[in-house]
Amino acid sequence: MFLELGSHRLDLTTPQLMGVLNITPDSFSDGGVHLDPEAALARARVMVGEGAGLIDVGGESTRPGADRVDERTEIDRVVPVIARLSRELAVPVSIDTSKPAVMQAAVAAGATLINDVRGLCTPDALETAAALGVSVCLMHMQGEPASMQDAPQYADVVGQVEAWLLERVRAARAAGIPAGRIVLDPGFGFGKTLAHNLALFAALPRLAAHGYPVLAGVSRKRMIGELTGQPVGARVVGSAVAAALAAARGARILRVHDVAATRDALAVMTGLTRQT
Ligand code: HH2
């Protein structure tokens, strides 16, 4: 399985690590650290050296309780960084946004994957992504970040998330986005309790069975904190274990902050479960 990302062809036969690079003052784990493009570039270089196969650049935090930022601010944060990363790194760059204007500016600067936590549901987002001709990641979220963790409710979380993702696939394909350019993501922690996250995690093989690469983003999230009792800064081991398990359950792209730890977790899991 391959994903076309501009001049790059991402081989998903083995799981790929997507390194998180937030150019925000308030992201829940790396907020404020990469606002300077030089610092962002240096961090991206480290992640690529550690084994990241792509870098996901975001200019708006979507942590629970986060407020929206305007499109000018988001563009000003991400475009200079994307331009430099796509010129200077050997890996593809994705843009984590829901805003059509940011998608356009980011792709013009070199991004080749649109990673939208709102599944291209914002007005004009679907048409914009289709016209840009890049690959897309469609993620599920219940509600909006400002209030999504207040009281998330589902009658059947797996069935509902799966049906919603498949509906978004139909919409994306109808808009002209080819099947081979679509990635799906159940959206861990986005309007979900721990029980909902655990049910979705167990259902990763079912979600992967639809034939679209599945992206899993559990890195340093509250669910890891709930399982380990650790604060954000001490969730590296829990996150790496979760990412390796997600890969074992069929996830093909792992969105992570701690690339080296996840790479090692994957290597050990692969080595120890190889058939002899
Ligand atoms: N999680 C976050 C942001 N973008 N995109 C996808 N496809 N899947 C995810 O699980 C996902 C995502 C939240 O994490 P982070 O970027 O570290 O924090 P913040 O939203 O505070 O910037």
Side-chain angles (χ1 to χ4, degrees):
M1 188 185 261
F2 289 90
L3 186 65
E4 303 291 341
L5 297 173
S7 58
H8 301 271
R9 204 155 181 249
L10 199 67
D11 183 358
L12 300 178
T13 321
T14 54
Q16 290 283 350
L17 302 181
M18 170 189 261
V20 178
L21 191 64
N22 285 314
I23 321 296
T24 59
D26 58 340
S27 287
F28 79 96
S29 79
D30 62 348
V33 181
H34 313 120
L35 277 171
D36 166 30
E38 282 304 325
L41 187 67
R43 176 72 193 132
R45 280 214 175 93
V46 168
M47 292 196 284
V48 172
E50 291 174 345
L54 68 164
I55 299 291
D56 189 39
V57 176
E60 175 182 67
S61 173
T62 49
R63 74 184 192 287
D67 288 326
R68 303 292 316 257
V69 301
D70 64 79
E71 68 187 31
R72 192 66 254 162
T73 305
E74 204 178 323
I75 289 172
D76 288 346
R77 286 177 184 171
V78 299
V79 162
V81 174
I82 293 173
R84 288 209 54 193
L85 297 191
S86 27
R87 264 201 317 270
E88 297 181 35
L89 295 184
V91 304
V93 177
S94 70
I95 173 66
D96 187 340
T97 192
S98 299
K99 298 189 186 78
V102 180
M103 294 174 189
Q104 283 168 331
V107 171
T112 52
L113 172 68
I114 292 171
N115 172 28
D116 186 0
V117 299
R118 294 178 180 79
L120 299 177
C121 284
T122 308
D124 298 331
L126 189 60
E127 297 72 15
T128 301
L132 288 168
V134 294
S135 292
V136 298
C137 176
L138 305 171
M139 197 200 83
H140 175 273
M141 164 161 63
Q142 185 181 81
E144 277 291 315
S147 58
M148 67 188 175
Q149 290 307 112
D150 290 353
Q153 278 181 12
Y154 301 84
D156 164 15
V157 65
V158 173
Q160 284 172 252
V161 170
E162 180 182 48
W164 187 90
L165 289 173
L166 293 177
E167 188 282 318
R168 295 314 296 155
V169 166
R170 271 191 294 279
R173 295 187 64 175
I177 300 175
R181 288 191 177 275
I182 298 175
V183 176
L184 300 182
D185 182 347
F188 291 104
F190 284 86
K192 283 132 191 147
T193 63
L194 178 61
H196 297 143
N197 288 320
L198 297 182
L200 287 167
F201 201 89
L204 282 170
R206 171 169 157 187
L207 299 176
H210 294 289
Y212 298 93
V214 169
L215 185 152
V218 293
S219 185
R220 300 188 189 174
K221 283 186 179 170
R222 188 177 296 181
M223 65 184 282
I224 305 297
E226 287 169 327
L227 293 172
T228 59
Q230 298 286 4
V232 174
R235 294 179 187 164
V236 177
V237 175
S239 300
V241 171
L245 202 48
R249 294 196 172 159
R252 296 290 88 189
I253 302 177
L254 307 164
R255 186 179 181 279
V256 301
H257 301 85
D258 305 292
V259 176
T262 315
R263 175 202 64 204
D264 287 355
L266 277 174
V268 171
M269 184 188 71
T270 308
L272 292 180
T273 54
R274 192 176 289 139
Q275 305 285 327
T276 47

